[in-house]
Amino acid sequence: MGVKDHSPSVASVPADLVIVANRLPVDRITGPDGEPMWRASPGGLVTAIEPVLRANRGVWIGWPGAVTGAVTGGSEAGMEPFEHEGLQLDPIALSAEEIEGFYEGFSNATLWPLYHDVVAKPEFHREWWEAYVAVNRRFAEHAADRAAKNAMVWVHDYQLQLVPQMLRELRPDLRIGFFLHIPFPPAELFQQLPWRRQILEGLLGADLVGFQLPGGAQNFVRLVRQRVGHKTHRDLVYLPDGRTVRAAAFPISIDVDNFEELARKPEVIARAKEIRDALGNPRKVLLGVDRLDYTKGIHARLRAFGELVAAGELDVEEAVFVQVATPSRERVEQYRVLRDDLDRLVGRINGDYGRIGSPAISYLHASYPREEMAALYRAADVMVVTPYRDGMNLVAKEYVACRYNDDGALILSEFAGAAYELRQAWLVNPYDLNGVKDAIREALHADEKDLARRMRTMRKTIKAADITAWARSFLEEMDIVRSAHGKALLPADKT
Ligand code: ADP
Ligand code: G6P
């Protein structure tokens, strides 16, 4: 749960590293006694970037969640910069109209589905675009105010793609990086966007534009050449003003050691046992953990499991599916539809095949602290991750990080960025239900040696490429790109 909002506000001193992301790592909520409290924000961006900020002593500019009662104009009492658990945070308020047009509208009903293979149909509305431009400008102005001379500003994700260019106009002295946490779509889909050129130009304000996979970087460079007309060579874009922009892949990761440490804690081990006891000690526990999002393929995995139960291949007293799904973006229509669909599917499977005390699926709408997540990962024999499209999917990496005994099976969609690294998982096409069923069967019956061989290799992979290595490679690369055209040097503590 959250902690009380007792931290004093801190002065807006200029910062050498500024992280700019739509969300702060904590949401401001109202506690049971009516007092404001802070609660960890949802999603992979926060999981990945929080340790980066902690290690590099910067400031994080972002929105503290929909429940701040924001007012028009973006300022509100209690929205001054503050320190929270050692992190310097600088909140930006969003008005109700901005949340509707910029966040729920353009970010999550236009860009999110468009960038995720149009798994849902994107909507294009001119007033949402206007809100997107206005809010991006506010973030850029705020970052320009906070950044020290020659500072490094690192802008994150699809909600803020115009910020790099806006910021460069305000502060040409800055080194600006951008990282997209979600997939960058192929040209054929991106071209649908009426504001495609503005988005490309917005991103070109950065010195370095990072993507999860090489394919995303290639899509971007190709589009820049075709739609903006700049010269490109491999991963470089040459701008008429003499600047060079590099577009490259930096597959993101997690703080692997931190997750493993958590999973080794005696309390977490005890809690994992408690979870299995509470489930009636079935022989096998399957687990899914996601934001409640239509890209995650929750439907596909539950249907596959349901069919195995219906066919009598799995007995509900022997195998239980635990699906944890945190409600997300609940005012966006497609998310409401998904929630209702899943409620119906789970209800039907449990109604048809569950027994008293043994539902087939244990379905929880909840957001848990990290210890509880680690306990769930420890309790699960098979982790089922089946997105239709996902930039990376950190849940898959968290599961692997927690399996320090080299046991447990991972079923992973080939359409998740993580599938490019975690090759020893059971890779599946989530649209192919029979394929998902085969993978569940095989994972449930795999022998210990096979499981250990796969898990050992995957653990090596994530240990060699954890979040520290990721941040270092991005920040170093940003300096290389910048110094290549004679404008920047590494800050003292990074040389
Ligand atoms: P996305 O960023 O699209 O949500 P990721 O899998 O990359 O997907 O990251 C999800 C992050 O959110 C992970 O760090 C995961 O532990 C966390 N998370 C997901 N569901 C829950 C939940 N129910 N409670 C707490 N944390 C969750
Ligand atoms: C994904 C996105 C993030 C986003 C997170 C949670 O990880 O890449 O940018 O913050 O989901 O979504 P939300 O809309 O709640 O911020």
Side-chain angles (χ1 to χ4, degrees):
M1 257 321 276
V3 290
K4 278 263 169 66
D5 179 19
H6 286 321
S7 14
S9 57
V10 291
S12 320
V13 284
D16 287 325
L17 174 69
V18 181
I19 302 277
V20 190
N22 178 49
R23 252 190 206 283
L24 281 181
V26 286
D27 275 353
R28 191 165 188 229
I29 57 166
T30 305
D33 53 2
E35 291 289 307
M37 298 171 76
W38 296 101
R39 184 181 60 191
S41 305
L45 184 154
V46 164
T47 305
I49 303 303
E50 200 210 280
V52 174
L53 184 69
R54 218 172 265 292
N56 290 279
R57 299 187 314 274
V59 62
W60 183 321
I61 294 177
W63 170 56
V67 279
T68 51
V71 294
T72 312
S75 62
E76 182 200 4
M79 295 293 278
E80 298 85 18
F82 63 100
E83 187 180 326
H84 178 79
E85 296 179 355
L87 299 176
Q88 302 296 322
L89 307 179
D90 193 341
I92 289 193
L94 296 181
S95 69
E97 297 78 44
E98 286 169 337
I99 290 170
E100 206 183 314
F102 156 75
Y103 172 70
E104 291 158 356
F106 200 77
S107 296
N108 289 314
T110 306
L111 294 174
W112 181 268
L114 182 70
Y115 282 30
H116 284 91
D117 268 7
V118 298
V119 169
K121 194 168 165 38
E123 287 182 48
F124 302 108
H125 297 296
R126 282 163 288 187
E127 59 285 8
W128 289 358
W129 166 251
E130 280 157 24
Y132 186 79
V133 176
V135 172
N136 270 249
R137 190 168 306 286
R138 279 241 314 286
F139 273 83
E141 285 166 358
H142 206 93
D145 285 346
R146 258 336 275 276
K149 183 143 184 63
N150 294 326
M152 186 99 89
V153 180
W154 196 355
V155 184
H156 291 265
D157 230 356
Y158 61 101
Q159 303 93 341
L160 302 177
Q161 293 172 100
L162 304 179
V163 169
Q165 185 192 31
M166 291 170 167
L167 185 57
R168 182 163 300 282
E169 279 163 14
L170 294 166
R171 291 285 307 272
D173 60 300
L174 299 174
R175 280 161 294 168
I176 304 173
F178 180 91
F179 185 76
L180 185 70
H181 292 249
I182 68 173
F184 190 80
E188 293 68 24
L189 295 180
F190 186 81
Q191 271 157 197
Q192 291 181 12
L193 194 63
W195 307 278
R196 58 202 179 188
R197 190 183 165 119
Q198 289 95 313
I199 294 280
L200 296 171
E201 285 176 339
L203 292 171
L204 288 171
D207 298 298
L208 177 63
V209 186
F211 299 87
Q212 298 281 21
L213 300 176
Q218 285 153 13
N219 291 344
F220 173 72
V221 173
R222 188 176 141 212
L223 274 157
V224 165
R225 194 169 56 243
Q226 290 174 345
R227 294 277 151 204
V228 193
H230 292 326
K231 278 213 180 88
T232 66
H233 176 64
R234 294 176 194 255
D235 55 2
L236 295 177
V237 178
Y238 302 100
L239 300 180
D241 67 2
R243 280 196 314 118
T244 310
V245 178
R246 177 158 187 247
F250 296 84
I252 205 165
S253 193
I254 54 166
D255 187 340
V256 176
D257 291 344
N258 183 264
F259 270 97
E260 178 168 342
E261 249 166 57
L262 270 183
R264 284 181 185 274
K265 278 188 173 177
E267 314 81 276
V268 170
I269 296 171
R271 176 66 192 143
K273 183 171 178 310
E274 236 174 74
I275 292 172
R276 287 191 78 111
D277 289 347
L279 292 168
N281 277 314
R283 223 166 42 77
K284 296 287 180 185
V285 174
L286 297 92
L287 175 68
V289 174
D290 313 77
R291 274 183 311 99
L292 198 41
D293 195 296
Y294 51 79
T295 60
K296 300 291 181 185
I298 303 172
H299 210 271
R301 78 184 72 137
L302 295 184
R303 258 191 81 188
F305 177 75
E307 285 187 15
L308 289 169
V309 174
E313 288 191 53
L314 293 179
D315 185 289
V316 293
E317 276 158 33
E318 299 263 290
V320 171
F321 204 117
V322 178
Q323 175 64 55
V324 180
T326 336
S328 180
R329 308 172 190 166
E330 290 180 275
R331 283 157 39 117
V332 179
E333 172 68 11
Q334 313 247 14
Y335 287 77
R336 275 205 293 261
V337 171
L338 171 79
R339 185 172 172 155
D340 291 348
D341 280 357
L342 284 176
D343 283 351
R344 261 196 305 276
L345 179 69
V346 172
R348 202 167 61 231
I349 295 174
N350 280 343
D352 288 351
Y353 308 109
R355 292 185 208 131
I356 289 176
S358 305
I361 300 168
S362 188
Y363 183 50
L364 307 157
H365 286 172
S367 179
Y368 295 121
R370 229 161 252 174
E371 276 82 2
E372 182 74 359
M373 298 296 289
L376 279 164
Y377 294 139
R378 291 281 335 137
D381 302 288
V382 183
M383 183 82 213
V384 194
V385 183
T386 51
Y388 298 121
R389 180 59 70 193
D390 206 332
M392 176 53 63
N393 197 286
L394 296 183
V395 163
K397 291 189 173 180
E398 289 170 6
Y399 180 70
V400 172
C402 290
R403 306 304 301 198
Y404 53 83
N405 287 331
D406 292 339
D407 55 3
L410 175 65
I411 296 178
L412 178 60
S413 163
E414 54 191 76
F415 305 133
Y420 289 76
E421 294 167 89
L422 303 177
R423 306 301 302 168
Q424 295 72 25
W426 273 270
L427 294 177
V428 294
N429 168 359
Y431 294 101
D432 170 16
L433 275 194
N434 286 344
V436 178
K437 281 162 70 180
D438 288 345
I440 294 179
R441 260 188 222 109
E442 282 179 32
L444 284 172
H445 296 116
D447 64 42
E448 272 178 31
K449 262 180 141 173
D450 185 22
L451 292 174
R453 185 183 53 76
R454 290 170 183 257
M455 192 53 80
R456 210 177 299 123
T457 314
M458 291 194 286
R459 288 177 55 74
K460 265 197 201 138
T461 305
I462 61 164
K463 279 181 176 243
D466 70 351
I467 192 66
T468 312
W470 175 83
R472 191 184 309 124
S473 67
F474 191 97
L475 293 172
E476 284 178 2
E477 186 56 39
M478 219 156 115
D479 274 310
I480 293 167
V481 178
R482 198 53 202 267
S483 27
H485 47 99
K487 289 188 183 151
L489 292 169
L490 288 163
D493 62 340
K494 302 230 164 46
T495 43

